[in-house]
Structures are given as C-alpha cells and as structure tokens.
Amino acid sequence: MNHPAPLETPTRILLGPGPSDVAPSVLRALAAPTIGHLDPAFLEVMDQVCAMLREVFGTENRLTIPMSGTGSAGMETCLVNLLEPGDRILVAINGVFGTRMAEVARRLGAQVTEAHVEWGRTFRAEDLRSAAEGEYAVVAAVHAETSTGALQDLAPLREVASEVGALLLVDCVTSLGGYRLALDEWGVDAAYSGTQKCLSCPPGLAPISFSSRACDRLAARKQPVQSWYLDLSMIAEYWFADGGGGRAYHHTAPINMLFGLHEALRLVLEEGLEERAARHARNAAALVAGLEAMGLELRVSPSERLAPLTAVAIPDGVDDGKVRRHLLERYGMEIGGGLGPMQGNTWRIGLMGAGSTRRNVTLCLAALREALEAQEWAVGGDPLAAAAAAYAP
Ligand SMILES: *Cc1c(COP(=O)(O)O)cnc(C)c1O
C-alpha cells in the first residue's frame, strides 16, 4: 500500500474573511514541545493568556478564557450557558452570524425573537425595539458582521437590552484584535471571539468573557448546562481551581494552540491596542481608495463599514470564480466570496491582524486590477496611485 508523502502545503496570502496570515513567531510558538495540561509551566501560560485576553477585550471580567474550538464553539458556549429551555432571546440579524446565533438558541429550546435589518446595514435602537415584546433573558448581536462587512454600534443595543431586562451578548469574532474593545465600558455581559481573524492565530480557540452578571445567571440556573463539554462552571474549575481542590481535569487543553495564542496576544499588546486599531483603519482606507479609483462599488456605507473586512460588489459581466482563481493561481492570494444572498455578487477582502499591511493592500489592488482587465472589464483610474495618496501624510 502507498502511504501519502509528507505534506507540502502552499504558502498563501490570506486576504479573505479568515483565517488570516499567521505571524512567524506564532507559528514557532505552536511548534514548541508539548507539555502536560497540569504542568506548573503550563499553568503559568494559562494565567498569562487570561490576563492578556482581559486587556485585549477591555474587561476586568475574571471569567475570561479561551474555549477549545473555533468561533462557533464560543457562540455556542455563551448561548448554552446563558439560556435555559423556554428562556427568551432577542437576536439582531443582519448577516450570517446573527442567523447562526438564532439557530443555536432555537436548538437549545429557547424562544427566539428575530429582529432584522437589511444585510450590510446595522441596527439603531428603534430597529431592535420595534421587534421586541416584553422581557428577555438575552439580547444578542454581532459587533463585526464578517458576512457583510458592517460594524455595529453597541450603545443602542445596550440601551434596548436594559429596557427589556436582558443581558447583552456580543459576537466579537472579527473585532477582537482589530478594534480597541471596551466590554466593561460598553456594558457587554458576554462576548465570544475566535483566533483566526484579527488575532492572526490559526483557527482552534474561542476566547470568551462573562461579566459578573452573566456569572450570576449561570450560578442561578435551574437545570445543568445541556453541553457537558462547554459547561463553564466545570471549565472554570480547571482554569481557576474554583472547585477548591486545585485545578481539576475537565478535558485536555489544546496545549500548543494555547502557546500560539499566548504569542499572538503578546504581539497585540506589544504593538498597542490603539496603534493596532489605527493600522487596521489606515490599511482599509487605502484599500477602499484603490477599489473606488478602479470604479468598484462597496456594499456598506462609510459610517457602518468594517476595517478588517471590505465587501465589494462584483461588477456585472465579471465572473466571480475566474477572478478569484486568477488571484489564487497566479499570486497565491485568497479573497473571499459572498455568503447567503451575497453569494456570487460580492467579494470579501480581509485585512486582518498580521495581514493588514501596506504590502498586502498594494498587492491585492494590483492583482485585482490585472484579473479584472483579463475579463475585459473597463478599469477606471489607477488603484495604486489612489492607495498611495491615501497613505500620504
Ligand atoms: C468567523 C466568524 C464566526 C465563526 O467562527 P468559526 O471560527 O468559523 O467557527 C462567527 N462570527 C463571526 C462574526 C465570524 O466572522
């Protein structure tokens, strides 16, 4: 029998909706020798990861930890711990990930009220208020909707959550590490994220944070959390020795992923939260300038637009698949296609974490211009000159 040869994976430039390019020092950290999940040296890594996560989330919440699994496991962790069967939740839906939250909540036996605005738009207090009826246990929304490229202002959501007596749960998968977050100041009760977007770590961990109000809700549950694996009261016994008898085994922590996250968070803090957010904003502005110079249209209005992800309308007559194949085959560059109603008519260009660089902006604009010209689409002005002008002081 022929066994496979050792893997030889290509090197890509990841400019899609995630995963993003991983910094070399994060890859090195992942390759460190594996140690035990109760090794004293590992316990120190865990403590440092929690402390750094709190800083990056902008919170003093004690229960701030990386869950094992991807961003969706973080979503499920928050919902399964906060909701009991029959509880009411109001979900703000303006893309794929709000839709997913509602679906997860329904599977948990919660009563779900959906509030909708058009994909690519965000919620004002009134949009949410008009869908609400009575009291809710949780109001849930997506901060950075990666499926459409829209950034949600959280203040109006906090306002409505308070009116209906609810905890505020926020998806921060694409905003963590790309924006300066302030969970405590914003009154967010529970948040989750993922490692492969603006933290620039491979996929595999889902940072979450629970406020003391969210922890009180967890402690007051009448029924045990339906998921054994994601039960935060048990997992806290491992992370914080809350059982009283030292750190208790629950499941084997993904040791090397935590080494990688440790380095990724260290890089975020070394750069500075303010500086990192400014870098994401600067590179996105240059990308947008270049795209618009070519005559391309963007899906989201400037005031609601995300920096880590730019959604571009695919011009009539241009073949989505051909353009993306051109970028991948000729330049090893990945950009994202559209999801749901945006499939086939939208590109999603991510400039996340280590991938948010002037080099990538320039490469992407040049490669995209070439691919559009190959399809005989009439490119307007020079994208590289427009991007360079956006960088000029
Ligand atoms: C990527 C993403 C998720 C899901 O994360 P996975 O790591 O794919 O499970 C959830 N919400 C948002 C906003 C995302 O961008």
Side-chain angles (χ1 to χ4, degrees):
M1 188 181 148
N2 278 330
H3 294 132
L7 280 182
E8 262 187 64
T9 56
T11 302
R12 301 293 195 206
I13 301 170
L14 298 176
L15 301 180
S20 59
D21 283 339
V22 178
S25 67
V26 172
L27 293 174
R28 284 195 296 275
L30 287 163
T34 302
I35 59 178
H37 63 278
L38 293 170
D39 189 307
F42 187 63
L43 302 182
E44 203 166 307
V45 173
M46 291 166 64
D47 287 342
Q48 291 180 356
V49 164
C50 290
M52 289 192 287
L53 266 183
R54 288 186 194 107
E55 228 176 306
V56 178
F57 264 128
T59 184
E60 297 192 351
N61 292 339
R62 177 167 179 268
L63 185 51
T64 302
I65 57 174
M67 295 294 289
S68 307
T70 66
S72 304
M75 178 190 294
E76 194 136 357
T77 297
C78 290
L79 291 165
V80 78
N81 281 276
L82 291 177
L83 293 170
E84 298 197 55
D87 279 354
R88 304 184 72 226
I89 178 172
L90 175 61
V91 186
I93 299 180
N94 58 351
V96 166
F97 296 107
T99 308
R100 187 175 296 181
M101 278 204 265
E103 173 62 19
V104 172
R106 269 191 292 273
R107 289 185 182 208
L108 295 172
Q111 292 182 54
V112 179
T113 304
E114 296 186 355
H116 290 269
V117 294
E118 202 187 318
W119 287 33
R121 302 300 311 273
T122 59
F123 284 82
R124 297 161 305 163
E126 198 40 47
D127 300 317
L128 204 55
R129 207 175 271 133
S130 59
E133 259 180 65
E135 301 263 298
Y136 289 87
V138 174
V139 167
V142 179
H143 189 208
E145 189 35 278
T146 325
S147 65
T148 67
L151 178 69
Q152 176 65 52
D153 177 9
L154 296 176
L157 304 191
R158 179 63 265 176
E159 194 181 310
V160 177
S162 299
E163 287 165 17
V164 300
L167 298 176
L168 178 60
L169 165 62
V170 179
D171 176 320
C172 297
V173 176
T174 289
S175 54
L176 189 71
Y179 286 95
R180 174 143 209 188
L181 300 193
L183 296 190
D184 291 356
E185 191 186 319
W186 297 341
V188 174
D189 292 297
Y192 60 88
S193 189
T195 44
Q196 79 275 23
K197 312 271 168 119
C198 293
L199 294 179
S200 272
C201 205
L205 290 172
I208 60 111
S209 186
F210 267 43
S211 70
S212 55
R213 291 201 305 163
C215 290
D216 291 347
R217 174 73 55 85
L218 179 58
R221 287 181 69 99
K222 294 179 211 74
Q223 301 172 39
V225 174
Q226 290 107 310
S227 168
W228 181 90
Y229 194 70
L230 302 177
D231 184 336
L232 281 174
S233 48
M234 293 163 77
I235 288 171
E237 292 182 18
Y238 172 56
W239 281 84
F240 307 114
D242 278 358
R247 304 215 199 202
Y249 165 72
H250 176 260
H251 69 270
T252 310
I255 315 281
N256 288 59
M257 274 306 301
L258 281 149
F259 292 163
L261 179 59
H262 184 280
E263 176 60 12
L265 291 168
R266 210 190 57 73
L267 290 177
V268 172
L269 295 173
E270 187 177 78
E271 179 175 9
L273 294 168
E274 215 60 74
E275 290 77 3
R276 193 176 176 91
R279 171 166 63 82
H280 279 83
R282 192 165 58 244
N283 288 317
L287 177 72
V288 164
L291 294 168
E292 290 185 331
M294 283 195 279
L296 292 166
E297 282 178 24
L298 303 185
R299 286 277 177 228
V300 180
S301 71
S303 65
E304 297 172 294
R305 205 176 277 161
L306 275 179
L309 188 116
T310 302
V312 189
I314 300 176
D316 285 340
V318 169
D319 186 307
D320 173 22
K322 279 191 186 150
V323 168
R324 284 193 284 139
R325 223 169 306 126
H326 185 110
L327 300 184
L328 191 69
E329 287 172 3
R330 196 163 291 185
Y331 298 106
M333 180 184 294
E334 177 181 286
I335 65 167
L339 289 178
M342 292 187 170
Q343 190 177 0
N345 61 45
T346 301
W347 289 314
R348 293 179 300 150
I349 303 176
L351 292 170
M352 300 182 177
S356 175
T357 60
R358 181 168 181 166
R359 184 190 74 150
N360 282 347
V361 169
T362 306
L363 288 175
C364 178
L365 290 169
L368 192 57
R369 172 171 62 185
E370 185 185 273
L372 288 166
E373 282 172 348
Q375 298 223 0
E376 286 165 19
W377 186 70
V379 172
D382 177 4
L384 302 189
Y391 283 116

